[in-house]
Amino acid sequence: NSPDPLDLIARFGADALRFGTMRSAPLGQDVLFDEKDVELGRNFCNKLWNACRFRQMQGGEVQDEIRPQLLSSDDKWILLKLDAAIREITDALNTYNFSTAAQALYRFFWNEYCDWYVEASKAVLHGDDAARKANTLAVIDFILSHTLRLFHPFLPFITEELWHGMGYAEDMPDDP
């Protein structure tokens, strides 16, 4: 009495089904299927795609080096939030608590990065200070590259596509 996963994949995508199910499945409890969870997964994949698209629209190459002396309080705040999210996700994954890990990723990326930091960074990105803009882009690239790595077990298809599309794979060693 559950829906056919292939039908859900055709309607929402494999990553949306995977993420929505993992996010709604508390450790050790029965999962009551709700299609809204899969829809949430699809909406989240769209948010991830759009955040990467926003970075691409800012132009320029991938920025490798963050200059600490040019970090704004917003930059420092989001880097601290990323560190806290990585710790929370690592703890959750070490105890096989995938739902908590998915919820922590969702909360960090949607609420803290997209809703808060991206909006705050727009003032710098549209300003006249080229050095600060380059540094903000470096912070964005740092956050996105780490976020894509964190999401990969949950959203393997979209993260792989975005990883290569953003140019983050170019720093990786070639296969032997």
Side-chain angles (χ1 to χ4, degrees), residues 75-85 108:
D75 296 333
K76 293 174 186 176
W77 179 84
I78 197 63
L79 291 169
L80 287 171
K81 288 295 186 179
L82 174 64
D83 182 63
F108 167 75

Side-chain angles (χ1 to χ4, degrees), residues 93-134:
L93 291 176
N94 285 339
T95 59
Y96 302 102
N97 195 340
F98 302 114
S99 174
T100 300
Q103 289 173 11
L105 272 167
Y106 180 91
R107 184 177 53 251
F108 167 75
F109 192 74
W110 192 295
N111 297 337
E112 295 167 350
Y113 178 72
C114 290
D115 285 353
W116 197 88
Y117 181 73
V118 168
E119 293 304 317
S121 69
K122 287 179 181 178
V124 174
L125 295 173
H126 298 301
D128 295 329
D129 190 341
R132 286 209 183 275
K133 179 179 178 179

Side-chain angles (χ1 to χ4, degrees), residues 3-24 33-35 37-42 45 154-155:
D4 183 356
L6 295 178
D7 289 340
L8 292 170
I9 290 170
R11 287 176 50 208
F12 298 104
D15 282 345
L17 176 60
R18 178 192 304 260
F19 187 74
T21 302
M22 276 196 247
R23 188 173 178 273
S24 66
F33 179 79
D34 188 349
E35 197 170 284
D37 293 327
V38 183
E39 191 173 333
L40 178 138
R42 182 197 58 205
C45 289
F154 299 94
L155 305 167

